[in-house]
Amino acid sequence: MLEWILGATLVLLLLSLWRFRRAVSMVSNFPGLRLFVSPMSPPGLLLPALPFPLFTYPGFSFPWELKHAGLFAKFKCDTVSLCAGDGRAMLFTADVPFIQRMSAFTSREVFPKPVDEYKVLSYLGSNLVICEGESWRRQRRIGAPAFSKGMFERLWLDMRDIVREMVEQERWQERTEPTHPPSTLTYNGYTPQPGEVLVPHVVDLTLRMALAAIARAGFGMDFEWEAEESFTKVCQEFGNPQRPHWWLTILGWVYNFTDPLVAPVYHLFDQLSRAIPSALIATVAYVWTTWPLLPVRISWAVAAYWVAEFLTMFARPTEADWNPRKIKVHEALHLVAKDSTLRIAIPPWMMTLPIRRMRRMKLAFGTLEAELKRLTDERKMYHLRQSLDHEQLVKGPLRVKVAMMDEGDLEKGQVGNLVSSSIQKGLTDDEIIGNTYIYFLAGHETTAHSLAWTLALLAAYPEYQEEAIREIYSVWPSTAETFEPFYENTTMDDYAKFPYILACYAETLRLFPPVQMIPKVAAQDTCISVETSNEVNSNAEKETDPLVGRNGQTEFVIKKDTIVMIDAPGVHYNPRYWENPEKFDPGRFMRAYNKDAFIPFGVGHRACLGRKFSEVESVAMLIHLLRNYSVHLVPNRPDGTVDVDVARQKFSKASVRITLTPAEVPLIFRRRSHPSP
Ligand code: HEM
C-alpha cells in the first residue's frame, strides 16, 4: 500500500515538474515567481500565503499584498513571470508603455480577453463581460448607448434622493441632535457622543446606496431605503441556526457522518486533475523545506485550513434552511456576488442538498433570476404596448396581460434604459438576463467599496476633507436663511463644478483599485518590446517621458496561450509614474498626471462601460453627504484620541474576491453646523 502511495506521489511530482518546466520555457525563463501551486488554481484559492523566506506561495491576493515594492521592485523589473506546477505560463506587468503596446495589439485581437477565466460570471446567461469577438462587439454596441445623458441626469438626482432617504430612514437627524440620549452602540469601547452617528462598517451604507443607484437609474426599479441594523451582517448570517428542532438535530448528525464521504466526491468531480497534484506538492514541499523544525505543525496547519473550509460548506441544516424567510433582491444580489466562485466550483446537483450554504446560495440565485426575468418581461410588455395600436390592445390576445400593468409600471419601463435598449436592439432573452445581471454585479460592489474607502481616507486626512467641503460651499453657498441640506435646484450641469471631489474619488481608486488584475491572453506568438530593468537612469527626465531613461528594453516573444496580467496595484504604486505612491494626495489629480498609469477602469477597447456612471454616482453621493456631515475616524486610544496609522492599517485590510473588499471600515458622522464656516 505504502509503495502505491509513494509511486503515485512520485508520478504526480514528475507530472507537475514537467508542466512547470514547460511553463518556464514558455516565458523564456523571464525572471519572476516560481511556485509549486498557482495562486489562480482551485487549491491556490484555498491555501493561505506562506511566509518569507520560503516564499513558496504568496497567496491569491499577492498583487494587492505585494504591490509594486514587494514584487516588481524586488525583481528590478516592471514585468515578472509566474510559473507553477499547473503548467500555466503567466506574465504580470506594471509597465505602462508595455501595456499600451499590448492594448494597441488588442484591438487587432492579438491579446484578447481570456474569457474562460470569467466562467464564473456566465451562469445567468451570456453577457458582454464573458464574450469576445463579434458577440462582444454586438453586445457592447447595444449596451453602450444606454449610458446616455438622460441616464446620468436621472442618476444625479437619484443619488441626492438616496442620500436624503438614508439620512431620514436611519434617523441621522434625530441621532445627531445634542439632546439625543447616548447610543448603546459602542465600537471597541468607544460610545458615540451627542451629535455623532457611529457606523461600524460603512460598506453597510455604501453597498445599499450603490445598489439603489443602479436599480433606479439603470433599470427604473423601486428601491426604497429600509433601515437595517447591518445589511452585510444580515446577509452573512442568513440561514444561521435560529430555533433548533429535534429532527433537524438528528439530520444534522447524519450529515456530520456522511460529510466525509460527500466532500471528497465533490472535490473529485471538478478538481481532481489539478487539486491533488498541486496540493500534495505544496504540502510535501513545504514540509520538506522546513524539515526538521516544523513538519508536524505545518501539516496540521494545512489540514486545519482545509477542514475549516470543509465545515463551513457542510454546516448542519437548521430550521431556517427549511423555512427561510423571503430574501430581498438586494440581499440576493449581495449573496450571489459573494458566492459566485463557489457556485462555479460545484456541480449543480449540490445546490439541491439541504446544506445551509447550498440552500442559501440556491435561494439567492433563484430570487435574483426570478427578479431579472420579471424585470425583462415588464419592459417587454411596455415595448409591446408601445408598438400595438389601440384596436390590437383592446381586442388582441395580450389584452389581459397588458391591462394588468398599471401606468406606474409602464412609466418605469420608459426609464429602464439598460433593459429597454437591449430589447429594442434584439438581444436574446438569455443575453438580456445575463447582461442585466452583469450591470448589477459590475455596477454595485466596485463603487460601494470605493466610496467606503473615499470616506475613510477623507476622515483620516481632515485637511483634504476641508478642501472638499470648501469646494462644495463655493458652488452652493449657504447662509442660515438659504441653506438647503439637499440642494434642490441641482442639475447634471453642476457635476463639472466638483473637480476636487472627483479627484478624491480618483485618488482612492488609485490606492484601492477594485479590480486587481486585468487578464489578456496571447492568441499567437507575438514579438513585443519589454523592458528588462526598472532602474531609472539618473540622467533621465522621467517626469516628461516615462520611456526615457529605461535601462534595458528587449524584443521578447510572448508565446501563444501565455496569460498577461495587467497588475493594477503594481501600476498604481509604481514610483516611476506616481510620486510618493503610498501617499493619499487628491491634489495630484488636479495637476497634470500620466493618464495611462491610471487604470482602475481597465485599458483599451474593453475598458469599463460604467466609468462615468460610477463617477457621477460617487460625486453626487459625496457632495450631499459631506454638505451635511463631517466624517471622522473612531477613537482607538484609551484617552479617546485617534492613532491615524493604526486606524488606516485597519481600514486598509482587504480581501480579494471578485473585487477588492474592505474588511471593516468604522466611521463617525458628525452633523455640520450651518452656515458654512
Ligand atoms: C469603481 C467602479 C468601477 C470599477 C473600478 C470598474 C472596473 C472595471 C474594469 C477594470 C473593467 C474591465 C475588465 C476587463 O477588461 O477584464 C470593467 C468592465 C466593465 N464594467 Fe466596470 N467598473 C466600475 C463600475 C462599473 C459600473 C457602475 C458599471 C455599470 C453600471 C460597470 C460596468 C462594466 C461593464 C459592463 C464592463 C464590461 C465592458 C466590456 O467588457 O466591454 N462598471 N469595469
Side-chain angles (χ1 to χ4, degrees):
M1 183 64 180
L2 187 66
E3 291 88 346
W4 277 101
I5 295 175
L6 285 174
T9 312
L10 192 68
V11 170
L12 294 174
L13 264 169
L14 288 174
L15 189 67
S16 285
L17 206 63
W18 175 75
R19 285 170 165 173
F20 176 79
R21 286 300 315 155
R22 202 186 49 179
V24 173
S25 80
M26 263 179 87
V27 294
S28 311
N29 206 7
F30 203 89
L33 300 171
R34 300 290 177 261
L35 308 173
F36 290 103
V37 185
S38 167
M40 280 77 205
S41 66
L45 290 172
L46 292 182
L47 276 178
L50 302 179
F52 277 109
L54 283 169
F55 203 59
T56 46
Y57 186 68
F60 173 68
S61 20
F62 76 93
W64 169 248
E65 302 295 339
L66 302 181
K67 302 197 178 70
H68 187 273
L71 185 61
F72 301 101
K74 271 218 158 68
F75 284 98
K76 297 195 169 50
C77 186
D78 281 350
T79 302
V80 298
S81 65
L82 186 156
C83 301
D86 67 348
R88 284 210 294 188
M90 292 182 142
L91 291 171
F92 281 72
T93 187
D95 177 6
V96 170
F98 172 57
I99 295 169
Q100 291 299 310
R101 279 194 285 272
M102 210 171 50
S103 246
F105 271 125
T106 311
S107 55
R108 304 207 299 273
E109 290 176 7
V110 177
F111 285 105
K113 186 168 177 166
V115 284
D116 280 354
E117 308 280 319
Y118 287 79
K119 261 198 312 197
V120 68
L121 300 176
S122 65
Y123 34 67
L124 287 184
S126 174
N127 59 70
L128 87 168
V129 170
I130 59 160
C131 288
E132 254 300 344
E134 189 41 46
S135 173
W136 168 77
R137 265 190 292 277
R138 189 172 62 89
Q139 297 192 44
R140 177 113 182 178
R141 247 192 336 263
I142 293 173
F147 290 86
S148 61
K149 193 163 171 272
M151 183 196 267
F152 296 132
E153 269 161 8
R154 171 163 183 162
L155 175 64
W156 183 254
L157 298 181
D158 273 342
M159 275 325 282
R160 177 198 59 195
D161 297 342
I162 289 166
V163 179
R164 178 171 29 208
E165 281 166 36
M166 189 274 289
V167 166
E168 280 166 14
Q169 294 295 321
E170 305 283 336
R171 300 185 301 109
W172 275 25
Q173 302 270 19
E174 183 190 321
R175 284 159 68 191
T176 48
E177 283 298 331
T179 50
H180 189 71
S183 161
T184 50
L185 178 74
T186 60
Y187 183 84
N188 277 357
Y190 179 78
T191 313
Q193 303 301 301
E196 290 181 350
V197 175
L198 193 153
V199 182
H201 188 28
V202 84
V203 173
D204 274 338
L205 300 179
T206 54
L207 256 182
R208 276 184 286 161
M209 283 188 198
L211 270 174
I214 184 83
R216 287 191 195 180
F219 295 101
M221 288 165 77
D222 290 327
F223 200 100
E224 301 303 321
W225 190 280
E226 284 173 44
E228 274 172 62
E229 187 203 335
S230 166
F231 169 57
T232 44
K233 196 155 154 260
V234 168
C235 288
Q236 307 287 349
E237 291 182 353
F238 180 78
N240 272 359
Q242 284 164 8
R243 272 176 298 138
H245 202 284
W246 64 266
W247 60 272
L248 284 176
T249 313
I250 294 174
L251 205 62
W253 282 111
V254 175
Y255 271 99
N256 279 358
F257 284 116
T258 52
D259 282 351
L261 296 174
V262 178
V265 173
Y266 142 60
H267 278 294
L268 274 175
F269 256 158
D270 267 348
Q271 295 163 11
L272 188 70
S273 63
R274 290 209 277 177
I276 290 184
S278 311
L280 259 184
I281 289 160
T283 314
V284 171
Y286 205 53
V287 170
W288 180 71
T289 42
T290 51
W291 177 268
L293 296 174
L294 296 168
V296 177
R297 214 183 82 193
I298 295 299
S299 312
W300 275 107
V302 174
Y305 189 82
W306 282 32
V307 168
E309 190 58 29
F310 165 86
L311 286 179
T312 54
M313 288 252 317
F314 292 87
R316 233 184 267 180
T318 67
E319 176 81 31
D321 296 322
W322 264 263
N323 235 338
R325 69 179 168 82
K326 206 165 165 279
I327 193 168
K328 293 176 197 155
V329 181
H330 62 285
E331 288 167 346
L333 193 64
H334 183 62
L335 287 171
V336 163
K338 232 167 73 70
D339 280 341
S340 292
T341 324
L342 182 64
R343 170 71 181 82
I344 208 74
I346 59 167
W349 60 263
M350 280 201 70
M351 296 250 289
T352 57
L353 292 180
I355 294 166
R356 190 182 81 213
R357 186 133 176 222
M358 296 294 132
R359 290 186 66 84
R360 185 180 80 177
M361 213 159 76
K362 184 162 182 256
L363 195 65
F365 276 83
T367 307
L368 187 65
E369 196 172 352
E371 178 60 20
L372 297 185
K373 281 210 170 94
R374 189 197 63 73
L375 191 73
T376 312
D377 285 347
E378 188 183 280
R379 299 297 179 267
K380 273 190 170 160
M381 289 312 290
Y382 167 74
H383 290 292
L384 194 66
R385 190 174 140 150
Q386 296 291 82
S387 63
L388 294 176
D389 59 28
H390 184 70
E391 186 79 354
Q392 288 168 310
L393 209 62
V394 180
K395 295 190 184 147
L398 287 161
R399 66 186 184 283
V400 178
K401 217 166 172 194
V402 174
M404 274 164 59
M405 298 182 75
D406 63 29
E407 287 304 314
D409 285 341
L410 294 172
E411 274 279 291
K412 279 179 241 147
Q414 257 165 336
V415 190
N417 312 6
L418 287 167
V419 178
S420 295
S421 76
S422 309
I423 293 170
Q424 284 165 324
K425 303 219 174 107
L427 286 190
T428 62
D429 276 12
D430 173 67
E431 288 169 336
I432 294 170
I433 293 184
N435 278 298
T436 310
Y437 163 64
I438 280 301
Y439 289 129
F440 262 119
L441 191 72
H444 91 284
E445 264 202 8
T446 42
T447 309
H449 296 157
S450 311
L451 272 172
W453 269 313
T454 310
L455 289 169
L457 285 164
L458 289 174
Y461 297 87
E463 64 279 23
Y464 297 133
Q465 190 177 159
E466 273 306 303
E467 186 84 29
I469 189 71
R470 261 200 297 278
E471 180 175 85
I472 297 170
Y473 279 118
S474 73
V475 178
W476 293 335
S478 77
T479 63
E481 294 80 47
T482 64
F483 179 72
E484 286 180 53
F486 297 97
Y487 210 73
E488 284 304 325
N489 293 325
T490 180
T491 63
M492 184 53 196
D493 291 342
D494 288 338
Y495 169 65
K497 298 177 187 161
F498 297 99
Y500 191 76
I501 305 283
L502 185 60
C504 293
Y505 186 58
E507 177 67 343
T508 308
L509 289 171
R510 186 186 69 80
L511 288 173
F512 296 94
V515 179
Q516 297 284 289
M517 293 174 263
I518 303 162
K520 305 283 171 203
V521 60
Q524 60 196 53
D525 289 0
T526 308
C527 187
I528 189 167
S529 163
V530 179
E531 96 173 280
T532 50
S533 163
N534 60 10
E535 284 174 345
V536 176
N537 181 337
S538 53
N539 299 327
E541 297 190 9
K542 63 176 176 143
E543 291 82 9
T544 49
D545 182 358
L547 270 174
V548 177
R550 301 210 158 194
N551 279 343
Q553 296 256 347
T554 182
E555 288 296 308
F556 178 72
V557 178
I558 300 188
K559 299 263 172 57
K560 182 172 183 295
D561 293 336
T562 304
I563 303 270
V564 185
M565 290 283 188
I566 299 172
D567 185 315
V571 173
H572 287 178
Y573 285 79
N574 191 339
R576 189 191 292 279
Y577 312 118
W578 305 98
E579 211 178 318
N580 271 334
E582 304 281 338
K583 189 171 182 287
F584 176 66
D585 173 16
R588 67 174 94 231
F589 284 92
M590 304 292 282
R591 306 184 286 271
Y593 66 97
N594 184 346
K595 292 202 168 56
D596 295 335
F598 182 60
I599 58 164
F601 295 101
V603 287
H605 69 304
R606 295 236 35 170
C608 179
L609 201 50
R611 175 175 184 164
K612 182 144 185 208
F613 191 99
S614 166
E615 289 173 343
V616 171
E617 172 186 347
S618 303
V619 169
M621 182 272 204
L622 289 167
I623 53 179
H624 290 292
L625 198 59
L626 292 175
R627 185 168 163 80
N628 290 285
Y629 295 91
S630 57
V631 55
H632 306 267
L633 298 173
V634 181
N636 51 12
R637 287 201 187 105
D639 63 359
T641 56
V642 183
D643 183 332
V644 177
D645 291 337
V646 171
R648 189 173 164 166
Q649 255 173 23
K650 184 166 191 135
F651 69 67
S652 298
K653 274 210 187 102
S655 57
V656 181
R657 295 189 201 148
I658 288 188
T659 57
L660 190 71
T661 305
E664 207 176 19
V665 187
L667 289 177
I668 288 174
F669 293 85
R670 204 171 287 150
R671 192 130 140 225
R672 286 188 193 281
S673 50
H674 299 287
S676 67

